[in-house]
Amino acid sequence: STMSKKNITVFIFQDVESIQQNLLSANSDEVSNLDYLISKNEQFNKVKEQCGVMANSNTNLLIYGEPGTGKEMFARLIHHESMRKNKPFIRIACRGSGGNSILGQSKIGSGEFNNEESGFGKIALSSGGTLYLDEIGDMSMRVQGKFADIISNKLTNTRIIAATNKNLKDQVQQGFFREDLYNFLETFSITVPPLRSRREDIKLLTNHFLEKYN
């Protein structure tokens, strides 16, 4: 007799709380104090002060800055100094990503958060913690609309910190960014200065890293 071949599907279920604990363990070695940021630059230290204030707030935050200025580092430090520090910090990259990679494969509005590797799954894991949206100015208009619905209706217990290297107000006026999403995100904003605008820090940073790695 001939045996027919059958496809077998295996489902592995894991409790959301255990996944969150794994995320927290993975982030345990990160710097967690704003004092880690060393600078003699007045503008940079003003940003540090603003971050200290924002760490004690639950309002959404928009971080402006060129690529490489450390926007994500500031977001993580704000999270680690906040009351949410024992909850996950979830990062979603918006640059160069299609809707499926950001929102996941689940149907929008279905309430299904069944893929922790997808953006939709990551959104669920951020509950109670911080959701960091990296380079949100590069998110397509189509995805912006779906995303605006998700974060306004499903993330009542999650703080959102978004970062961009673009002027979102200009993007709104030019029709490249949704005004409702912009208003939702820019409750408060900070701008991280590039290193070239704080040349007095180059020697300070050089000595710091020489001492650290020696």
Side-chain angles (χ1 to χ4, degrees):
S1 63
T2 303
M3 296 183 62
S4 61
K5 294 182 179 180
K6 295 182 178 179
N7 293 326
I8 300 175
T9 302
V10 178
F11 294 92
I12 299 176
F13 298 92
Q14 189 172 2
D15 184 73
V16 170
E17 290 187 2
S18 66
I19 297 175
Q20 290 178 332
Q21 288 301 316
N22 290 338
L23 289 169
L24 290 172
S25 298
N27 293 335
S28 60
D29 293 332
E30 295 178 352
V31 293
S32 57
N33 193 302
L34 285 168
D35 292 336
Y36 169 81
L37 303 175
I38 55 175
S39 176
K40 294 181 179 179
N41 180 265
E42 182 179 353
Q43 184 182 2
F44 189 87
N45 285 319
K46 183 177 180 180
V47 172
K48 280 180 59 176
E49 293 178 8
Q50 291 174 324
C51 288
V53 173
M54 292 308 299
N56 296 315
S57 171
N58 280 320
T59 59
N60 296 332
L61 173 66
L62 192 56
I63 301 177
Y64 288 101
E66 298 176 17
T69 51
K71 297 188 293 295
E72 182 175 346
M73 177 182 63
F74 275 99
R76 288 183 180 274
L77 287 172
I78 290 171
H79 170 80
H80 285 307
E81 289 209 344
S82 73
M83 296 296 291
R84 298 175 183 270
K85 62 183 178 181
N86 293 323
K87 294 292 184 179
F89 177 96
I90 302 297
R91 175 185 182 273
I92 293 181
C94 302
R95 172 179 288 177
S97 299
N100 286 341
S101 61
I102 293 176
L103 301 174
Q105 301 295 333
S106 301
K107 294 181 180 179
I108 302 300
S110 67
E112 298 176 8
F113 301 92
N114 58 0
N115 182 0
E116 64 267 20
E117 294 301 320
S118 70
F120 213 28
K122 286 183 178 181
I123 291 173
L125 292 175
S126 68
S127 178
T130 301
L131 180 65
Y132 174 68
L133 307 173
D134 188 34
E135 300 300 352
I136 193 165
D138 293 328
M139 184 182 285
S140 71
M141 288 292 287
R142 182 182 67 85
V143 180
Q144 286 176 35
K146 296 178 179 180
F147 199 80
D149 178 64
I150 294 171
I151 62 178
S152 61
N153 295 323
K154 300 182 183 301
L155 297 182
T156 56
N157 192 33
T158 299
R159 184 187 194 177
I160 298 176
I161 300 179
T164 180
N165 61 15
K166 298 179 179 179
N167 186 319
L168 288 193
K169 189 173 183 179
D170 288 347
Q171 294 287 98
V172 170
Q173 293 176 346
Q174 296 170 20
F176 296 130
F177 201 84
R178 289 176 61 101
E179 185 173 8
D180 57 346
L181 185 56
Y182 168 74
N183 291 333
F184 182 83
L185 294 172
E186 193 165 13
T187 306
F188 191 87
S189 66
I190 61 174
T191 300
V192 182
L195 183 59
R196 68 175 179 275
S197 69
R198 49 189 185 99
R199 298 176 66 87
E200 65 269 36
D201 286 344
I202 294 177
K203 184 177 180 180
L204 182 68
L205 292 168
T206 300
N207 291 335
H208 168 77
F209 288 116
L210 279 173
E211 181 179 349
K212 176 180 179 179
Y213 292 111
N214 280 338

